[in-house]
Amino acid sequence: METQIANITVDVNEEGYLTNFAQWTPAVAEAIAKDLNIMLTPRHWEVITYLQNEHKSDSPLSIRKISKSGVVDIKEFYQLFPNAPLKAATKIAGIPKPASCI
Amino acid sequence: MKKIVILGAGTAGTMMANHLKHELKHDEWDIAIIDESKEHHYQPGYLFLPFDIYSPEDIIKSITEFIPKGVHFMNKRIEKVEPTSNTIELTDGDTITYDILIIATGAKIAPEETEGMKGAEWHQSVFDFYSFEGALALRNKLRNWKGGRLVVHITEMPIKCPVAPLEFAFLADSYFKHKNMRDKVDITFVTPLSGAFTKPKSTEALQHLLDEKHIAIVPDFAVQEVDNTNKKIIDYSGKEVPFDLLVTVPTNKGDELMARSGLGDDLNYVPTNRATLQSKNYANIFVIGDASNVPASKAGSVAHFEAEILTENILHYIKGEPLKEEFDGHANCFIETGNGKALLIDFNYTHEPVEGSFPFPGVGPLRLLKENRMNHMGKLAFKWIYWNMLLKGTHIPFVSATMQEAGKHFD
């Protein structure tokens, strides 16, 4: 479905994740983050860029993967994106919520 | 004479040995299967052992009983696979060469991945039921347990049989009711997922069952540590869940052999084409069952559907024909809900489990995503089907390798 984020029309799924990464902009990220009560700092952006690069290379994301990324440790990941960090960080990064394989 | 070697004689490897024995010409192909174990375990039975529903005899048989005549079984341990030279080094110093390799080495628990999990309380008040030893130790514990806080816990995804932890919680509810001590037991289900399951429609159905059985759920819990002294699990955000008895599903990993051979990802799963089941890095290596990284359930039914498609693809490969991109992630799972009832789910890569009838559209006799006794009978009958049909590679009547959409209630 279509919605307006930061005055940009974007396609999102029922959970608010962007379905077309081409529509993502830093302003969209800021707006989604604000909605989640997160203020983006340079550290947030490093993590977001890492997640987007991993997504582009089709590499499945998990908390374990983040812990071995060298970009951020898990304690800090939770501080940056409280509660469910992987879900929040991927939403802000404009990439799909990681599908935990069933 | 050409040689096809299968690594692992579990569910997937044994099925492939049986399929290929039928399909390949005996004077052209030599088929060997290597496994270090002498036993074949019916892994779905691990769920029933802790509750004294199955005994060890229901679960364990001799591994050679299911290897067809004419397939060379080697009870050996493998040191390393050298995919660039098509050789396998055994720990006894021998080497074997192959023309085609099938990896079916499965997945197993790795409790050492979580701090404190394999600590002082391991198999005292912290148990797994994903290994025979764990399930048996837990049975002995439950026989005398006086009650308290039971925590059923998933460490991280992916795990084998992703619905088994929920089934464990449901069966525990039923078990303690029968022992007239349900009021002495608090059951909590702790998961790294956002809900009872990953797919929305089944989460709804399963959440309803959790409520009905008074099982509390703690979602979004990414465990950091098992605190053995204070008996609690702690997650990365600082959340804590206390327990008197912790039944955990530790991290699952593929076989260490994949790491030693440079064939696996960071969880030792082999990168595999999800539609053809060919390894992504080596054309003459194929992967089946839990050992692969395909985004399908790690379950026997998946291995069964994969085996039918992989057999065709190996025949195509031998003839130099293009492989069929046919595997759709089809899985079919019974979910025990306790009190002699079960649910049935049928799904694939793209379609989540929905309501409907199975295997005959509109007829059944099994009902999808609805709890009933017929489904439970189906689950129990499955043990017979497993030993007598599935391992032998016999096609299960009316159940196709790819998922059928008729008879299902999609929106």
Side-chain angles (χ1 to χ4, degrees):
Chain A
M1 57 187 167
E2 279 189 359
T3 188
Q4 293 276 320
I5 299 180
N7 298 320
I8 301 168
T9 303
V10 293
D11 295 309
V12 295
N13 68 12
E14 66 278 10
E15 289 180 303
Y17 286 77
L18 262 61
T19 53
N20 179 3
F21 181 68
Q23 296 169 338
W24 181 89
T25 66
V28 169
E30 297 276 6
I32 297 173
K34 200 174 165 204
D35 203 41
L36 296 169
N37 292 319
I38 296 170
M39 278 294 291
L40 297 182
T41 66
R43 278 302 280 155
H44 288 96
W45 283 109
E46 281 176 48
V47 175
I48 290 166
T49 308
Y50 164 76
L51 294 175
Q52 290 174 336
N53 287 337
E54 287 298 305
H55 175 67
K56 275 176 209 153
S57 59
D58 260 344
S59 177
L61 290 164
S62 64
I63 292 273
R64 153 182 300 274
K65 180 118 195 177
I66 307 291
S67 75
K68 293 184 174 171
S69 66
V71 176
V72 63
D73 67 27
I74 298 183
K75 275 280 173 207
E76 191 189 356
F77 192 37
Y78 267 87
Q79 284 158 9
L80 294 171
F81 304 94
N83 301 322
L86 198 53
K87 282 166 209 159
T90 48
K91 195 172 192 179
I92 296 168
I95 60 178
K97 185 168 98 173
S100 313
C101 305
I102 67 159
Chain B
M1 198 75 160
K2 288 194 172 172
K3 190 155 189 173
I4 191 159
V5 178
I6 304 167
L7 305 184
T11 309
T14 302
M15 288 190 299
M16 284 312 295
N18 281 293
H19 278 297
L20 293 171
K21 181 69 184 58
H22 285 126
E23 300 292 338
L24 297 176
K25 293 205 176 89
H26 305 174
D27 50 348
E28 286 177 18
W29 284 92
D30 178 40
I31 308 170
I33 185 164
I34 310 174
D35 199 300
E36 64 191 67
S37 175
K38 287 184 162 50
E39 294 171 347
H40 186 114
H41 287 203
Y42 174 59
Q43 293 186 57
Y46 294 167
L47 172 68
F48 296 109
L49 184 58
F51 303 110
D52 268 316
I53 300 170
Y54 283 175
S55 62
E57 298 72 56
D58 291 311
I59 295 171
I60 301 178
K61 293 192 193 266
S62 159
I63 204 166
T64 50
E65 201 180 323
F66 305 95
I67 310 292
K69 280 205 178 63
V71 169
H72 183 198
F73 175 69
M74 301 173 76
N75 191 208
K76 304 259 192 179
R77 203 176 136 74
I78 303 162
E79 181 59 39
K80 209 174 169 189
V81 178
E82 287 283 4
T84 48
S85 59
N86 300 333
T87 51
I88 298 161
E89 282 174 38
L90 301 173
T91 47
D92 64 8
D94 281 355
T95 57
I96 302 168
T97 59
Y98 59 83
D99 294 285
I100 294 174
L101 185 70
I102 298 173
I103 296 174
T105 42
K108 48 167 117 27
I109 58 164
E112 64 280 359
E113 290 282 337
T114 305
E115 194 185 331
M117 192 174 279
K118 222 174 170 178
E121 289 296 319
W122 183 248
H123 290 185
Q124 301 297 319
S125 65
V126 178
F127 292 84
D128 76 282
F129 67 97
Y130 270 48
S131 65
F132 178 74
E133 298 71 28
L136 190 65
L138 181 54
R139 179 196 73 177
N140 297 339
K141 173 81 180 186
L142 286 177
R143 280 179 177 177
N144 302 310
W145 195 50
K146 302 281 178 261
R149 286 168 299 199
L150 168 64
V151 173
V152 183
H153 167 247
I154 301 173
T155 302
E156 65 178 307
M157 302 303 278
I159 57 170
K160 288 196 266 196
C161 192
V163 290
L166 270 173
E167 294 182 277
F168 187 93
F170 294 150
L171 287 174
D173 167 72
S174 187
Y175 175 85
F176 293 121
K177 269 185 193 146
H178 283 126
K179 287 181 89 170
N180 287 320
M181 56 180 286
R182 182 63 182 89
D183 57 335
K184 297 191 175 64
V185 181
D186 279 332
I187 307 178
T188 306
F189 185 74
V190 181
T191 170
L193 304 174
S194 310
F197 204 55
T198 50
K199 312 264 175 172
K201 286 239 168 60
S202 1
T203 296
E204 219 173 279
L206 294 165
Q207 180 61 49
H208 176 73
L209 286 169
L210 286 172
D211 294 344
E212 195 182 293
K213 295 171 196 299
H214 305 286
I215 298 169
I217 178 166
V218 179
D220 292 317
F221 191 96
V223 70
Q224 179 180 19
E225 187 196 344
V226 177
D227 179 341
N228 285 261
T229 317
N230 301 306
K231 291 203 179 176
K232 57 190 183 187
I233 48 176
I234 305 166
D235 100 335
Y236 284 105
S237 67
K239 266 185 287 185
E240 295 182 351
V241 178
F243 65 83
D244 295 302
L245 178 57
L246 175 66
V247 176
T248 185
V249 180
T251 299
N252 281 203
K253 287 175 89 172
D255 202 282
E256 274 295 315
L257 169 63
M258 299 306 129
R260 294 199 293 275
S261 309
L263 285 166
D265 63 14
D266 59 347
L267 282 171
N268 299 339
Y269 296 122
V270 184
T272 305
N273 181 305
R274 64 186 235 170
T276 65
L277 305 176
Q278 186 177 43
S279 125
K280 283 194 175 165
N281 298 321
Y282 302 95
N284 64 338
I285 298 183
F286 295 85
V287 194
I288 180 166
D290 300 349
S292 89
N293 77 336
V294 303
S297 280
K298 295 192 179 299
S301 68
V302 174
H304 165 75
F305 299 132
E306 286 176 338
E308 295 190 4
I309 287 161
L310 181 55
T311 302
E312 282 183 45
N313 268 345
I314 285 179
L315 297 177
H316 288 307
Y317 177 79
I318 289 171
K319 289 183 200 148
E321 295 166 356
L323 304 185
K324 269 197 180 166
E325 297 195 357
E326 200 172 59
F327 186 61
D328 65 353
H330 188 191
N332 180 277
C333 310
F334 290 101
I335 305 177
E336 279 294 297
T337 53
N339 301 315
K341 292 183 182 175
L343 289 171
L344 178 66
I345 55 176
D346 195 60
F347 57 102
N348 68 10
Y349 288 140
T350 48
H351 288 86
E352 64 164 317
V354 291
E355 291 178 6
S357 47
F358 186 88
F360 302 108
V363 176
L366 302 176
R367 293 274 171 259
L368 296 169
L369 213 48
K370 284 262 191 261
E371 194 189 23
N372 71 18
R373 284 186 195 280
M374 185 62 124
N375 291 336
H376 170 68
M377 300 315 287
K379 174 113 180 178
L380 294 186
F382 188 73
K383 181 170 65 126
W384 187 91
I385 292 173
Y386 181 87
W387 292 120
N388 294 286
M389 293 177 77
L390 209 71
L391 288 179
K392 291 174 185 158
T394 309
H395 181 76
I396 310 289
F398 318 117
V399 182
S400 60
T402 49
M403 197 193 80
Q404 169 178 282
E405 293 184 22
K408 297 203 168 110
H409 308 164
F410 297 110
D411 288 334

